Amino acid sequence: MADPTETQQRDFEAAAFRRLVEHLRERTDVQNIDLMNLAGFCRNCLSNWYREAAEAEGVSLSKDESRQIVYGMPYAEWQQKYQTEASDAKKAAFEINRPRDH
């Protein structure tokens, strides 16, 4: 198999990103704290990375705009519909495992 061209690679990466976002939108039962504790990133991280990539290309996006791209709705709406209170154990694990830049 031939190596993908840069354009193909970008297309593949974009498709994988879209699939990840779709998956996270479907899995509203998985809380951000669960993602952070298990994988070291969450939906908010993904939206921050998206915003940083846009800004690197000269496109200004607000935090709310980038979160809406990832969540598929305003963040406040997602929180109201799907976010649950984290247990003390999850909060303690987050304090131990969270990336220090959060």
Side-chain angles (χ1 to χ4, degrees):
M1 176 178 199
D3 290 338
T5 66
E6 285 184 38
T7 301
Q8 287 174 317
Q9 182 172 341
R10 183 177 299 143
D11 291 346
F12 301 157
E13 291 165 350
F17 172 81
R18 288 189 299 272
R19 179 121 183 234
L20 172 61
V21 167
E22 180 182 332
H23 181 76
L24 291 173
R25 286 179 184 174
E26 291 172 0
R27 290 300 310 268
T28 57
D29 60 310
V30 178
Q31 298 293 300
N32 281 334
I33 197 165
D34 298 324
L35 290 168
M36 287 297 293
N37 285 341
L38 292 172
F41 84 100
C42 68
R43 293 169 182 89
N44 292 338
C45 298
L46 192 58
S47 70
N48 290 340
W49 299 336
Y50 188 98
R51 188 177 75 246
E52 290 167 5
E55 289 174 353
E57 294 297 320
V59 176
S60 179
L61 278 179
S62 72
K63 187 176 182 178
D64 289 336
E65 289 169 327
S66 65
R67 283 186 175 183
Q68 186 159 348
I69 290 166
V70 170
Y71 285 90
M73 65 183 71
Y75 180 54
E77 182 180 336
W78 191 92
Q79 286 179 301
Q80 183 181 21
K81 285 183 173 183
Y82 304 114
Q83 189 166 312
T84 61
E85 180 65 29
S87 69
D88 289 339
K90 287 181 181 183
K91 290 176 186 176
F94 177 76
E95 289 306 317
I96 294 168
N97 297 317
R98 75 179 178 145
R100 294 299 151 213
D101 62 348
H102 283 68

